[in-house]
Amino acid sequence: MSALPGRTQVGIVGGGPAGLLLAHLLHRRGVASVILERRSRAHVEGRIRAGVLEQGTVDLLAASGLGARMAREGLVHGGIEVAIDGVRRRLDLAALTGRRVTVYGQTEVTKDLVEARLAAGGAIVYEAEDVSVHGFDGERPTVRWRTAAGEAELACDFIAGCDGFHGVCRRSVPADRIRTYERVYPFGWLGILSDTPPVSDELIYASHERGFALASMRSPTRSRYYIQCDLDADLADWPDERVWDELKLRLGPEAAATIRTGPSIEKSVAPLRSFVAEPMRFGRLFLAGDAAHIVPPTGAKGLNLAVADVKVLSEALAEFFATGSEEGIDRYSERALRRVWRAQRFSWWFSAQLHRYDGADGFARRLQLTELDYLTGSEPAARAFAENYVGLPFD
Ligand code: APR
Ligand code: PHB
């Protein structure tokens, strides 16, 4: 990339949704940035991730000029269903909260962000190898990397670590300055994508004695399904027929009677993890998105949390560059973490109710069923759940 400057205001490590949206929001406030991404553009745009956007996420994307295709192609959902041992009950999110969610794949959000970035003439360096961050305790941090053309260095005022859970930024912080909290779950999700119409107009989250299942979608003609599986599940043991049979059992007889099956066009197993790193700021290095926290996918909070982080961070950085005030950047970590822990609580709770835990006894299963019965039978319980599912307001 010949036009790459040797210095910028914000060096952004990672070109996933967090890094791309941060660059976009900064650009709209007149702050320059450069994105360094380890993978290729095709790889980043091809990754399949969750697909439910909170209303606040949708509103933010729309207000920053990213809403056109989402408004055309996104599916607005006013409710979800919970299937409890095959019996479906609906939670009317719109009636309970006045808010809705939008089903629009993260893959699509990412494509829209890349397009906006390139249209604005912004720099994204793809296939940047061996990225490293330096000097973030001083006033002049730098980012270094290697490309096919050789070594490169970028001087920055700030560095944003948007490089995901396995990135380099969090690992660059001395161990005595960072604290991490973690839960790993003793199961994974096996996901399939298929060009078949969704089984229902809304998502179905299923708790079944055989394990969790989720019926989701990407469009009126493309479905996304998940089933709880062993962590070491081998895809060779899961031909499509077996996945469909298992889905029919777990989603219940009504769904089994109407589900449209077909060949999978993608199939993969993902582990579940809850993780938080504190704080999210170290001098002139900020962490945002998966670099700082991971939630299990139950409830689809991951992307929404990344969006909330970069909203707060972009405002803080813009304020600093406009006025010299450090108040926003000083408060970033605390503000972001408050929301992060709320989402952790919600995602952990929802995961705990829906999954089958090996070794759990009858008492534990009865409690799960009672939680779900209460959730779907009590308006206050449903409302408390719904306000989290559609997304708590930005504070
Ligand atoms: N150098 C440069 N880039 C890196 C490095 C590195 N050392 N390590 C990782 N990256 C890149 C990855 O290739 C990826 O494109 O950083 C990006 C991080 O993107 P995501 O993993 O998508 O994380 P984030 O942008 O925080 O997105 C929020 O929440 O739960 C999730 O699924 C949701 O991925 C979504 C995320
Ligand atoms: C998805 O469609 O991929 C999806 C939807 C809802 C979730 C998780 C994943 O809670």
mmCIF file of all heavy atoms in Angstrom, residues 81-90 197-204 206 208 215 225 244-261:
data_model
loop_
_atom_site.group_PDB
_atom_site.id
_atom_site.type_symbol
_atom_site.label_atom_id
_atom_site.label_comp_id
_atom_site.label_asym_id
_atom_site.label_seq_id
_atom_site.Cartn_x
_atom_site.Cartn_y
_atom_site.Cartn_z
ATOM 1 N N GLU A 81 -38.823 -17.420 20.284
ATOM 2 C CA GLU A 81 -39.517 -18.543 20.911
ATOM 3 C C GLU A 81 -38.543 -19.326 21.779
ATOM 4 O O GLU A 81 -37.343 -19.380 21.476
ATOM 5 C CB GLU A 81 -40.086 -19.476 19.840
ATOM 6 C CG GLU A 81 -41.242 -18.866 19.070
ATOM 7 C CD GLU A 81 -41.858 -19.903 18.149
ATOM 8 O OE1 GLU A 81 -42.499 -20.848 18.654
ATOM 9 O OE2 GLU A 81 -41.678 -19.772 16.926
ATOM 10 N N VAL A 82 -39.078 -19.907 22.838
ATOM 11 C CA VAL A 82 -38.301 -20.811 23.674
ATOM 12 C C VAL A 82 -39.030 -22.154 23.649
ATOM 13 O O VAL A 82 -40.233 -22.211 23.919
ATOM 14 C CB VAL A 82 -38.198 -20.288 25.123
ATOM 15 C CG1 VAL A 82 -37.390 -21.247 25.990
ATOM 16 C CG2 VAL A 82 -37.558 -18.896 25.145
ATOM 17 N N ALA A 83 -38.325 -23.206 23.262
ATOM 18 C CA ALA A 83 -38.932 -24.548 23.239
ATOM 19 C C ALA A 83 -38.423 -25.315 24.451
ATOM 20 O O ALA A 83 -37.216 -25.485 24.623
ATOM 21 C CB ALA A 83 -38.561 -25.276 21.956
ATOM 22 N N ILE A 84 -39.353 -25.723 25.296
ATOM 23 C CA ILE A 84 -38.989 -26.403 26.540
ATOM 24 C C ILE A 84 -39.431 -27.858 26.422
ATOM 25 O O ILE A 84 -40.630 -28.143 26.395
ATOM 26 C CB ILE A 84 -39.665 -25.722 27.755
ATOM 27 C CG1 ILE A 84 -39.422 -24.197 27.709
ATOM 28 C CG2 ILE A 84 -39.175 -26.325 29.061
ATOM 29 C CD1 ILE A 84 -40.262 -23.406 28.713
ATOM 30 N N ASP A 85 -38.464 -28.746 26.282
ATOM 31 C CA ASP A 85 -38.762 -30.153 25.988
ATOM 32 C C ASP A 85 -39.796 -30.263 24.866
ATOM 33 O O ASP A 85 -40.757 -31.031 24.942
ATOM 34 C CB ASP A 85 -39.213 -30.902 27.251
ATOM 35 C CG ASP A 85 -38.009 -31.330 28.102
ATOM 36 O OD1 ASP A 85 -36.878 -31.359 27.582
ATOM 37 O OD2 ASP A 85 -38.212 -31.628 29.293
ATOM 38 N N GLY A 86 -39.600 -29.472 23.837
ATOM 39 C CA GLY A 86 -40.415 -29.581 22.633
ATOM 40 C C GLY A 86 -41.667 -28.729 22.612
ATOM 41 O O GLY A 86 -42.349 -28.655 21.595
ATOM 42 N N VAL A 87 -41.975 -28.049 23.720
ATOM 43 C CA VAL A 87 -43.174 -27.206 23.757
ATOM 44 C C VAL A 87 -42.758 -25.741 23.579
ATOM 45 O O VAL A 87 -41.961 -25.229 24.358
ATOM 46 C CB VAL A 87 -43.930 -27.377 25.094
ATOM 47 C CG1 VAL A 87 -45.168 -26.474 25.131
ATOM 48 C CG2 VAL A 87 -44.320 -28.841 25.291
ATOM 49 N N ARG A 88 -43.287 -25.102 22.526
ATOM 50 C CA ARG A 88 -42.824 -23.753 22.183
ATOM 51 C C ARG A 88 -43.671 -22.674 22.843
ATOM 52 O O ARG A 88 -44.894 -22.729 22.830
ATOM 53 C CB ARG A 88 -42.852 -23.585 20.659
ATOM 54 C CG ARG A 88 -41.684 -24.307 20.003
ATOM 55 C CD ARG A 88 -41.942 -24.623 18.566
ATOM 56 N NE ARG A 88 -42.072 -23.452 17.710
ATOM 57 C CZ ARG A 88 -42.301 -23.523 16.408
ATOM 58 N NH1 ARG A 88 -42.434 -24.706 15.817
ATOM 59 N NH2 ARG A 88 -42.402 -22.427 15.690
ATOM 60 N N ARG A 89 -42.971 -21.682 23.397
ATOM 61 C CA ARG A 89 -43.651 -20.508 23.945
ATOM 62 C C ARG A 89 -42.962 -19.273 23.404
ATOM 63 O O ARG A 89 -41.741 -19.252 23.243
ATOM 64 C CB ARG A 89 -43.552 -20.493 25.467
ATOM 65 C CG ARG A 89 -44.295 -21.649 26.114
ATOM 66 C CD ARG A 89 -44.493 -21.345 27.578
ATOM 67 N NE ARG A 89 -44.991 -22.498 28.294
ATOM 68 C CZ ARG A 89 -44.826 -22.671 29.598
ATOM 69 N NH1 ARG A 89 -44.148 -21.772 30.310
ATOM 70 N NH2 ARG A 89 -45.314 -23.713 30.204
ATOM 71 N N ARG A 90 -43.752 -18.217 23.161
ATOM 72 C CA ARG A 90 -43.194 -17.016 22.534
ATOM 73 C C ARG A 90 -42.967 -15.920 23.562
ATOM 74 O O ARG A 90 -43.793 -15.718 24.462
ATOM 75 C CB ARG A 90 -44.168 -16.514 21.462
ATOM 76 C CG ARG A 90 -43.695 -15.271 20.764
ATOM 77 C CD ARG A 90 -44.497 -15.002 19.495
ATOM 78 N NE ARG A 90 -43.865 -13.926 18.747
ATOM 79 C CZ ARG A 90 -44.204 -12.639 18.831
ATOM 80 N NH1 ARG A 90 -45.198 -12.266 19.608
ATOM 81 N NH2 ARG A 90 -43.555 -11.724 18.124
ATOM 82 N N PRO A 197 -35.697 -22.557 3.638
ATOM 83 C CA PRO A 197 -36.407 -21.524 4.391
ATOM 84 C C PRO A 197 -36.401 -21.841 5.885
ATOM 85 O O PRO A 197 -36.472 -23.014 6.259
ATOM 86 C CB PRO A 197 -37.843 -21.570 3.843
ATOM 87 C CG PRO A 197 -37.851 -22.562 2.753
ATOM 88 C CD PRO A 197 -36.566 -23.298 2.719
ATOM 89 N N PRO A 198 -36.316 -20.825 6.740
ATOM 90 C CA PRO A 198 -36.319 -21.069 8.190
ATOM 91 C C PRO A 198 -37.586 -21.784 8.645
ATOM 92 O O PRO A 198 -38.650 -21.620 8.046
ATOM 93 C CB PRO A 198 -36.262 -19.660 8.789
ATOM 94 C CG PRO A 198 -35.872 -18.749 7.691
ATOM 95 C CD PRO A 198 -36.212 -19.407 6.395
ATOM 96 N N VAL A 199 -37.463 -22.562 9.703
ATOM 97 C CA VAL A 199 -38.594 -23.358 10.201
ATOM 98 C C VAL A 199 -39.659 -22.473 10.838
ATOM 99 O O VAL A 199 -40.833 -22.849 10.909
ATOM 100 C CB VAL A 199 -38.101 -24.443 11.182
ATOM 101 C CG1 VAL A 199 -37.504 -23.827 12.438
ATOM 102 C CG2 VAL A 199 -39.216 -25.411 11.554
ATOM 103 N N SER A 200 -39.247 -21.285 11.306
ATOM 104 C CA SER A 200 -40.196 -20.378 11.950
ATOM 105 C C SER A 200 -39.836 -18.955 11.546
ATOM 106 O O SER A 200 -38.731 -18.689 11.089
ATOM 107 C CB SER A 200 -40.077 -20.544 13.472
ATOM 108 O OG SER A 200 -40.756 -19.500 14.136
ATOM 109 N N ASP A 201 -40.773 -18.025 11.728
ATOM 110 C CA ASP A 201 -40.487 -16.622 11.406
ATOM 111 C C ASP A 201 -39.506 -16.007 12.386
ATOM 112 O O ASP A 201 -38.911 -14.971 12.117
ATOM 113 C CB ASP A 201 -41.780 -15.792 11.461
ATOM 114 C CG ASP A 201 -42.716 -16.152 10.336
ATOM 115 O OD1 ASP A 201 -42.251 -16.772 9.362
ATOM 116 O OD2 ASP A 201 -43.913 -15.827 10.443
ATOM 117 N N GLU A 202 -39.419 -16.609 13.578
ATOM 118 C CA GLU A 202 -38.548 -16.067 14.623
ATOM 119 C C GLU A 202 -37.577 -17.154 15.092
ATOM 120 O O GLU A 202 -37.737 -18.317 14.758
ATOM 121 C CB GLU A 202 -39.397 -15.555 15.799
ATOM 122 C CG GLU A 202 -40.265 -14.380 15.384
ATOM 123 C CD GLU A 202 -41.252 -13.913 16.435
ATOM 124 O OE1 GLU A 202 -41.555 -14.678 17.384
ATOM 125 O OE2 GLU A 202 -41.750 -12.788 16.300
ATOM 126 N N LEU A 203 -36.591 -16.741 15.887
ATOM 127 C CA LEU A 203 -35.612 -17.705 16.389
ATOM 128 C C LEU A 203 -36.261 -18.608 17.440
ATOM 129 O O LEU A 203 -37.112 -18.159 18.202
ATOM 130 C CB LEU A 203 -34.419 -16.972 17.020
ATOM 131 C CG LEU A 203 -33.282 -16.598 16.061
ATOM 132 C CD1 LEU A 203 -33.758 -15.729 14.918
ATOM 133 C CD2 LEU A 203 -32.150 -15.920 16.819
ATOM 134 N N ILE A 204 -35.834 -19.861 17.467
ATOM 135 C CA ILE A 204 -36.294 -20.783 18.505
ATOM 136 C C ILE A 204 -35.085 -21.261 19.301
ATOM 137 O O ILE A 204 -34.171 -21.878 18.747
ATOM 138 C CB ILE A 204 -37.005 -22.030 17.920
ATOM 139 C CG1 ILE A 204 -38.084 -21.646 16.910
ATOM 140 C CG2 ILE A 204 -37.593 -22.885 19.051
ATOM 141 C CD1 ILE A 204 -38.690 -22.859 16.162
ATOM 142 N N ALA A 206 -33.996 -23.806 22.089
ATOM 143 C CA ALA A 206 -34.595 -25.024 22.640
ATOM 144 C C ALA A 206 -33.764 -25.624 23.763
ATOM 145 O O ALA A 206 -32.552 -25.814 23.622
ATOM 146 C CB ALA A 206 -34.776 -26.057 21.532
ATOM 147 N N HIS A 208 -33.664 -29.088 25.739
ATOM 148 C CA HIS A 208 -34.183 -30.447 25.610
ATOM 149 C C HIS A 208 -33.286 -31.381 26.388
ATOM 150 O O HIS A 208 -32.093 -31.086 26.565
ATOM 151 C CB HIS A 208 -34.215 -30.838 24.127
ATOM 152 C CG HIS A 208 -34.991 -32.085 23.851
ATOM 153 N ND1 HIS A 208 -34.432 -33.338 23.937
ATOM 154 C CD2 HIS A 208 -36.292 -32.269 23.506
ATOM 155 C CE1 HIS A 208 -35.354 -34.247 23.648
ATOM 156 N NE2 HIS A 208 -36.491 -33.623 23.388
ATOM 157 N N ALA A 215 -32.762 -22.631 16.334
ATOM 158 C CA ALA A 215 -33.155 -22.429 14.933
ATOM 159 C C ALA A 215 -33.032 -20.942 14.646
ATOM 160 O O ALA A 215 -33.743 -20.134 15.241
ATOM 161 C CB ALA A 215 -34.591 -22.895 14.719
ATOM 162 N N TYR A 225 -28.726 -23.258 11.839
ATOM 163 C CA TYR A 225 -29.134 -24.068 12.990
ATOM 164 C C TYR A 225 -27.911 -24.442 13.813
ATOM 165 O O TYR A 225 -26.803 -24.569 13.276
ATOM 166 C CB TYR A 225 -29.817 -25.370 12.525
ATOM 167 C CG TYR A 225 -31.147 -25.165 11.842
ATOM 168 C CD1 TYR A 225 -31.246 -25.180 10.453
ATOM 169 C CD2 TYR A 225 -32.311 -24.979 12.588
ATOM 170 C CE1 TYR A 225 -32.474 -24.993 9.814
ATOM 171 C CE2 TYR A 225 -33.538 -24.799 11.962
ATOM 172 C CZ TYR A 225 -33.614 -24.806 10.581
ATOM 173 O OH TYR A 225 -34.820 -24.623 9.954
ATOM 174 N N TRP A 244 -29.995 -33.046 11.140
ATOM 175 C CA TRP A 244 -31.430 -32.745 10.980
ATOM 176 C C TRP A 244 -32.274 -33.570 11.949
ATOM 177 O O TRP A 244 -33.225 -33.064 12.553
ATOM 178 C CB TRP A 244 -31.886 -33.000 9.539
ATOM 179 C CG TRP A 244 -31.317 -32.043 8.522
ATOM 180 C CD1 TRP A 244 -30.505 -32.350 7.464
ATOM 181 C CD2 TRP A 244 -31.530 -30.619 8.455
ATOM 182 N NE1 TRP A 244 -30.178 -31.214 6.767
ATOM 183 C CE2 TRP A 244 -30.799 -30.133 7.338
ATOM 184 C CE3 TRP A 244 -32.237 -29.702 9.231
ATOM 185 C CZ2 TRP A 244 -30.773 -28.793 6.975
ATOM 186 C CZ3 TRP A 244 -32.213 -28.362 8.870
ATOM 187 C CH2 TRP A 244 -31.495 -27.922 7.754
ATOM 188 N N ASP A 245 -31.927 -34.862 12.102
ATOM 189 C CA ASP A 245 -32.698 -35.715 13.015
ATOM 190 C C ASP A 245 -32.629 -35.174 14.441
ATOM 191 O O ASP A 245 -33.630 -35.154 15.157
ATOM 192 C CB ASP A 245 -32.156 -37.158 12.986
ATOM 193 C CG ASP A 245 -32.534 -37.869 11.688
ATOM 194 O OD1 ASP A 245 -33.405 -37.335 10.955
ATOM 195 O OD2 ASP A 245 -31.946 -38.928 11.389
ATOM 196 N N GLU A 246 -31.437 -34.760 14.815
ATOM 197 C CA GLU A 246 -31.249 -34.251 16.171
ATOM 198 C C GLU A 246 -32.014 -32.931 16.354
ATOM 199 O O GLU A 246 -32.634 -32.696 17.396
ATOM 200 C CB GLU A 246 -29.742 -34.060 16.406
ATOM 201 C CG GLU A 246 -29.321 -34.025 17.842
ATOM 202 C CD GLU A 246 -29.650 -35.280 18.644
ATOM 203 O OE1 GLU A 246 -29.504 -36.396 18.127
ATOM 204 O OE2 GLU A 246 -30.082 -35.112 19.812
ATOM 205 N N LEU A 247 -31.964 -32.087 15.343
ATOM 206 C CA LEU A 247 -32.708 -30.819 15.425
ATOM 207 C C LEU A 247 -34.204 -31.081 15.601
ATOM 208 O O LEU A 247 -34.877 -30.431 16.407
ATOM 209 C CB LEU A 247 -32.474 -29.980 14.165
ATOM 210 C CG LEU A 247 -31.168 -29.179 14.140
ATOM 211 C CD1 LEU A 247 -30.863 -28.688 12.729
ATOM 212 C CD2 LEU A 247 -31.253 -27.981 15.106
ATOM 213 N N LYS A 248 -34.715 -32.041 14.839
ATOM 214 C CA LYS A 248 -36.152 -32.341 14.921
ATOM 215 C C LYS A 248 -36.526 -32.790 16.329
ATOM 216 O O LYS A 248 -37.554 -32.376 16.876
ATOM 217 C CB LYS A 248 -36.515 -33.440 13.913
ATOM 218 C CG LYS A 248 -36.507 -32.956 12.478
ATOM 219 C CD LYS A 248 -36.849 -34.106 11.541
ATOM 220 C CE LYS A 248 -36.630 -33.724 10.103
ATOM 221 N NZ LYS A 248 -36.675 -34.897 9.206
ATOM 222 N N LEU A 249 -35.682 -33.625 16.917
ATOM 223 C CA LEU A 249 -35.971 -34.086 18.272
ATOM 224 C C LEU A 249 -35.960 -32.926 19.261
ATOM 225 O O LEU A 249 -36.850 -32.781 20.095
ATOM 226 C CB LEU A 249 -34.931 -35.120 18.710
ATOM 227 C CG LEU A 249 -35.065 -36.505 18.098
ATOM 228 C CD1 LEU A 249 -33.859 -37.366 18.460
ATOM 229 C CD2 LEU A 249 -36.350 -37.170 18.601
ATOM 230 N N ARG A 250 -34.921 -32.092 19.154
ATOM 231 C CA ARG A 250 -34.739 -31.062 20.193
ATOM 232 C C ARG A 250 -35.686 -29.884 20.017
ATOM 233 O O ARG A 250 -36.073 -29.246 20.996
ATOM 234 C CB ARG A 250 -33.279 -30.586 20.183
ATOM 235 C CG ARG A 250 -32.301 -31.714 20.496
ATOM 236 C CD ARG A 250 -30.879 -31.193 20.631
ATOM 237 N NE ARG A 250 -29.921 -32.299 20.678
ATOM 238 C CZ ARG A 250 -28.621 -32.137 20.883
ATOM 239 N NH1 ARG A 250 -28.125 -30.934 21.072
ATOM 240 N NH2 ARG A 250 -27.810 -33.188 20.904
ATOM 241 N N LEU A 251 -36.015 -29.549 18.765
ATOM 242 C CA LEU A 251 -36.919 -28.408 18.548
ATOM 243 C C LEU A 251 -38.369 -28.794 18.815
ATOM 244 O O LEU A 251 -39.222 -27.918 19.014
ATOM 245 C CB LEU A 251 -36.773 -27.870 17.122
ATOM 246 C CG LEU A 251 -35.419 -27.206 16.797
ATOM 247 C CD1 LEU A 251 -35.299 -26.934 15.300
ATOM 248 C CD2 LEU A 251 -35.230 -25.906 17.582
ATOM 249 N N GLY A 252 -38.654 -30.099 18.801
ATOM 250 C CA GLY A 252 -39.991 -30.568 19.159
ATOM 251 C C GLY A 252 -40.830 -30.947 17.951
ATOM 252 O O GLY A 252 -40.497 -30.631 16.806
ATOM 253 N N PRO A 253 -41.960 -31.622 18.211
ATOM 254 C CA PRO A 253 -42.756 -32.228 17.138
ATOM 255 C C PRO A 253 -43.317 -31.223 16.135
ATOM 256 O O PRO A 253 -43.375 -31.498 14.933
ATOM 257 C CB PRO A 253 -43.894 -32.938 17.897
ATOM 258 C CG PRO A 253 -43.837 -32.472 19.313
ATOM 259 C CD PRO A 253 -42.461 -31.939 19.562
ATOM 260 N N GLU A 254 -43.716 -30.049 16.632
ATOM 261 C CA GLU A 254 -44.294 -29.059 15.724
ATOM 262 C C GLU A 254 -43.266 -28.616 14.681
ATOM 263 O O GLU A 254 -43.549 -28.549 13.481
ATOM 264 C CB GLU A 254 -44.726 -27.849 16.564
ATOM 265 C CG GLU A 254 -45.866 -27.056 15.995
ATOM 266 C CD GLU A 254 -46.076 -25.802 16.848
ATOM 267 O OE1 GLU A 254 -45.983 -25.892 18.098
ATOM 268 O OE2 GLU A 254 -46.294 -24.746 16.252
ATOM 269 N N ALA A 255 -42.058 -28.309 15.159
ATOM 270 C CA ALA A 255 -40.994 -27.899 14.241
ATOM 271 C C ALA A 255 -40.575 -29.073 13.358
ATOM 272 O O ALA A 255 -40.324 -28.905 12.158
ATOM 273 C CB ALA A 255 -39.801 -27.367 15.034
ATOM 274 N N ALA A 256 -40.538 -30.272 13.940
ATOM 275 C CA ALA A 256 -40.118 -31.447 13.173
ATOM 276 C C ALA A 256 -41.034 -31.680 11.973
ATOM 277 O O ALA A 256 -40.604 -32.130 10.913
ATOM 278 C CB ALA A 256 -40.104 -32.675 14.079
ATOM 279 N N ALA A 257 -42.320 -31.327 12.161
ATOM 280 C CA ALA A 257 -43.299 -31.574 11.096
ATOM 281 C C ALA A 257 -43.127 -30.601 9.932
ATOM 282 O O ALA A 257 -43.516 -30.909 8.804
ATOM 283 C CB ALA A 257 -44.713 -31.471 11.671
ATOM 284 N N THR A 258 -42.563 -29.432 10.190
ATOM 285 C CA THR A 258 -42.518 -28.416 9.137
ATOM 286 C C THR A 258 -41.105 -28.041 8.681
ATOM 287 O O THR A 258 -40.953 -27.344 7.684
ATOM 288 C CB THR A 258 -43.215 -27.117 9.610
ATOM 289 O OG1 THR A 258 -42.591 -26.682 10.815
ATOM 290 C CG2 THR A 258 -44.705 -27.344 9.846
ATOM 291 N N ILE A 259 -40.092 -28.490 9.409
ATOM 292 C CA ILE A 259 -38.730 -28.059 9.073
ATOM 293 C C ILE A 259 -38.367 -28.513 7.652
ATOM 294 O O ILE A 259 -38.730 -29.613 7.223
ATOM 295 C CB ILE A 259 -37.717 -28.616 10.117
ATOM 296 C CG1 ILE A 259 -36.384 -27.869 10.044
ATOM 297 C CG2 ILE A 259 -37.518 -30.113 9.956
ATOM 298 C CD1 ILE A 259 -35.483 -28.158 11.265
ATOM 299 N N ARG A 260 -37.717 -27.618 6.926
ATOM 300 C CA ARG A 260 -37.277 -27.961 5.562
ATOM 301 C C ARG A 260 -35.795 -28.293 5.625
ATOM 302 O O ARG A 260 -34.979 -27.446 5.986
ATOM 303 C CB ARG A 260 -37.523 -26.780 4.630
ATOM 304 C CG ARG A 260 -39.014 -26.432 4.489
ATOM 305 C CD ARG A 260 -39.681 -27.277 3.407
ATOM 306 N NE ARG A 260 -39.125 -26.965 2.094
ATOM 307 C CZ ARG A 260 -39.556 -25.956 1.337
ATOM 308 N NH1 ARG A 260 -40.534 -25.180 1.738
ATOM 309 N NH2 ARG A 260 -39.001 -25.723 0.169
ATOM 310 N N THR A 261 -35.460 -29.510 5.272
ATOM 311 C CA THR A 261 -34.060 -29.929 5.338
ATOM 312 C C THR A 261 -33.430 -29.845 3.957
ATOM 313 O O THR A 261 -34.117 -29.773 2.940
ATOM 314 C CB THR A 261 -33.950 -31.371 5.874
ATOM 315 O OG1 THR A 261 -34.570 -32.249 4.930
ATOM 316 C CG2 THR A 261 -34.648 -31.511 7.224
#
